[in-house]
Amino acid sequence: MRGALALVYPPRCLLCGGLVESDHGLCGPCWRDTPFLGGLCCDLCAAPLPGHSQQAEICDSCRTEGRPWAHGSAALLYRDNGRKLVLMLKHGDRHDIARPAAVWMARRLQGRVPKDALVVPVPLHLRRHLRRHYNQSALLGVALSRLLGLQHVPDALLRRRATPSLDGKGRDARFATLEGAIIADPRNRVPLKGRNVLLVDDVMTSGATLSAASLACKEAGAAQVVVSVLARVAKDT
């Protein structure tokens, strides 16, 4: 049956639609032009760092500000094909991108996730969820939890305030906008107290949203939070 379907619907590149060898993949040219993160990155915010190191390194920004999570990773830079993939997943109803994206994210986590961690997606406000019909972070969370053999808890957090778009806002404005906007959902039946959490989102820019979500997990008693995103907004290095 699978072979027959492949003849009728041959695998296509996620980005350009060209023929590829297997489902959920990228063709050679699209893979080459996709900014996968590799090499040395900040151990907290996944920003690319110059040089090489045999140990975890922290960028100057994270040393100054601190982060409420223990480790952060990203699969792509948010530019070029990386940006296209995020926008297709986020606004283009391209649920099929979540599965390969989770594979890329899992590779960058490099065994940093505790075996008993709960996979928790960053929540959307109800109004935005109803307009979009799905939460792209939850799609990534489902796929990642299946790959890692972890429990997915999509309703662990609640965005209780409809925050405006953060586009164009500076760092301080982003953090002020998100302050107190995300809490642990009191209706969630899986308690976070004493549990390790793998927090999942599509993009990290300043880290304001992930900080608000991480603090909500910590306030609910989570032992440790690890962050994984599909793409990281970062300057060229």
Side-chain angles (χ1 to χ4, degrees), residues 67-84:
R67 302 287 186 180
W69 58 80
H71 171 69
S73 68
L76 310 169
L77 281 175
Y78 186 70
R79 69 182 187 202
D80 306 324
N81 282 348
R83 182 174 183 273
K84 289 179 183 178

Side-chain angles (χ1 to χ4, degrees), residues 194-212:
R195 300 297 300 271
N196 294 304
V197 169
L198 173 58
L199 188 63
V200 178
D201 205 3
D202 56 346
V203 179
M204 184 193 303
T205 304
S206 66
T209 301
L210 288 160
S211 288

Side-chain angles (χ1 to χ4, degrees), residues 58-106:
I58 307 298
C59 70
D60 291 342
S61 177
C62 287
R63 288 184 186 278
T64 302
E65 301 172 13
R67 302 287 186 180
W69 58 80
H71 171 69
S73 68
L76 310 169
L77 281 175
Y78 186 70
R79 69 182 187 202
D80 306 324
N81 282 348
R83 182 174 183 273
K84 289 179 183 178
L85 285 164
V86 169
L87 294 179
M88 289 162 66
L89 172 65
K90 191 170 185 174
H91 301 297
D93 205 24
R94 288 289 304 276
H95 296 205
D96 57 312
I97 292 173
R99 179 178 167 188
V103 173
W104 306 331
M105 293 164 70

Side-chain angles (χ1 to χ4, degrees), residues 97-107 109 119 139-152 198:
I97 292 173
R99 179 178 167 188
V103 173
W104 306 331
M105 293 164 70
R107 288 173 182 166
L109 282 167
V119 179
L139 295 179
L140 293 171
V142 169
L144 199 52
S145 66
R146 289 172 178 169
L147 276 174
L148 300 177
L150 301 174
Q151 183 178 359
H152 182 235
L198 173 58

